Amino acid sequence: MNRRRGATALILVCAMSLLAAPGLAHAAPKPKAPKSLEEVRKEIDGLYHKAAAATDAYNAAEEQAEKQSAQVVALAKAIVAGQSRIEKLKGWAGAAARAQYRAGGLPPEAQLALSDDPQQFLDGAGRIRQGEKATKNLLAELARTQDDLQTYTQKAGDHWQTLEANRVKKEAAKKQITRQIAEAKALESTLEAKERARLLQLERDAQFKAQTAWLDSGVLKEINGKASEQGRKAVQFATAQIGKPYEWGAEGPSTYDCSGLTSQAWAAAGRGIPRTSQEQLRLLPRVDVKNMRPGDLIIYNKDASHVGMYIGNGAIVHAPRPGRNITIAGAGSMPILAVVRPDA
């Protein structure tokens, strides 16, 4: 037992001596190699992509909030009108009941016996029956109006809860958008002027490479659709906005986000379409890429977070992202998810 303890102690002393030796001390972790500009570009693109997805969520919540707010206002007006109607009906029902009581205080047999003119009595009895029917109708309408008022109140409460939920969604999306854009700008601000210029060139090179690959597939040879009259007007509106800045959540007239541009362009053409790129994908009819025509909308990325308008010759007009202006780009410069047609 003592030998084992002695051996253990000796091992520990040797181990401590080795660890204390300068040459065997734990090496400090190697500093990370600086990121290449291409890595920085991809990181910035990723941040702006997340901001775009959050912008779509913000726009959807805002659109729903506007609808819910309008419904709450309409229901509030209906509640006020219902309450006013109930007060009137109660007044009419009370007056009818009092009149009926005055006319029907004696049994019909006694009224007939005491009447000098039996015909007059019969006429009066008929009017009383009409009054009774009218009173029943009033009471029935009063009950219906009270039921309607209760329904309106319940619906108003439900819509108010939905409105509040959408407000919370908007605030959460707004915080996410602000954070992602701030991170992207902070990352970009660490670069020198020459590096930022090079970064922009890398961005253009990546888009050109994607567009070239798309065109090399031969897809443009199959695209020969002509714009409809409304499509032509939508393209005219969208291209007239070229040079205006991107701003998330904006629908013009001086700034736009991607779906703000496409929805307003089609509104100018006389066709209302959903506000967000995700809803545009969900609700508008889809067409094959080979059947595209100017005015159609191209939805990009797996999460449908971006949209542009096809203008012909393999090009789109779109609002790219914060820090960029509305411009023309290759239709295949980003991953295409689907093509939708507002005026199908």
Side-chain angles (χ1 to χ4, degrees), residues 126-338:
R127 287 193 295 273
I128 289 173
R129 283 194 295 272
Q130 290 175 355
E132 288 174 345
K133 184 179 179 181
T135 301
K136 288 180 180 178
N137 291 339
L138 280 172
L139 292 174
E141 186 179 351
L142 177 60
R144 286 195 303 271
T145 305
Q146 287 174 328
D147 288 343
D148 289 344
L149 189 59
Q150 186 175 0
T151 300
Y152 293 152
T153 303
Q154 180 62 46
K155 285 184 177 179
D158 293 342
H159 284 304
W160 185 261
Q161 289 181 352
T162 305
L163 180 64
E164 180 61 17
N166 281 316
R167 186 192 67 77
V168 172
K169 287 180 183 177
K170 278 177 59 179
E171 289 304 314
K174 183 177 180 179
K175 288 179 181 178
Q176 185 176 357
I177 294 164
T178 304
R179 183 175 65 253
Q180 301 292 354
I181 292 176
E183 287 182 21
K185 287 182 176 179
L187 183 57
E188 211 165 351
S189 68
T190 62
L191 303 174
E192 296 180 357
K194 289 182 180 180
E195 290 177 316
R196 284 198 294 271
R198 176 60 182 154
L199 189 69
L200 180 59
Q201 187 58 49
L202 286 173
E203 181 182 314
R204 291 171 178 168
D205 290 346
Q207 292 174 353
F208 178 78
K209 182 178 179 182
Q211 174 72 355
T212 301
W214 185 68
L215 294 176
D216 287 346
S217 69
V219 67
L220 197 58
K221 296 177 182 177
E222 300 183 41
I223 301 174
N224 54 15
K226 293 183 178 180
S228 65
E229 181 60 25
Q230 282 188 311
R232 185 181 62 78
K233 290 179 180 178
V235 169
Q236 285 180 340
F237 180 94
T239 53
Q241 313 311 310
I242 290 174
K244 293 182 179 181
Y246 175 103
E247 181 183 2
W248 65 267
E251 299 178 82
S254 56
T255 58
Y256 296 85
D257 63 19
C258 66
S259 57
L261 175 64
T262 55
S263 60
Q264 288 302 305
W266 272 100
R271 173 79 67 165
I273 65 171
R275 168 66 176 89
T276 69
S277 55
Q278 292 179 348
E279 287 297 282
Q280 289 169 3
L281 172 66
R282 188 174 72 87
L283 297 175
L284 298 179
R286 298 193 187 193
V287 297
D288 290 337
V289 172
K290 65 181 181 181
N291 296 325
M292 275 196 308
R293 67 188 189 195
D296 288 347
L297 306 182
I298 304 181
I299 310 297
Y300 292 98
N301 305 320
K302 291 181 179 179
D303 56 1
S305 57
H306 191 67
V307 60
M309 178 179 291
Y310 186 63
I311 59 175
N313 296 320
I316 61 166
V317 58
H318 73 142
R321 66 166 176 80
R324 298 285 186 267
N325 296 333
I326 295 171
T327 188
I328 290 175
S333 60
M334 295 169 283
I336 295 175
L337 177 62

Side-chain angles (χ1 to χ4, degrees), residues 36-51:
S36 67
L37 270 179
E38 178 61 16
E39 289 174 324
V40 172
R41 183 190 71 79
K42 288 181 178 179
E43 187 174 348
I44 290 173
D45 281 352
L47 289 168
Y48 279 125
H49 180 93
K50 290 178 181 177

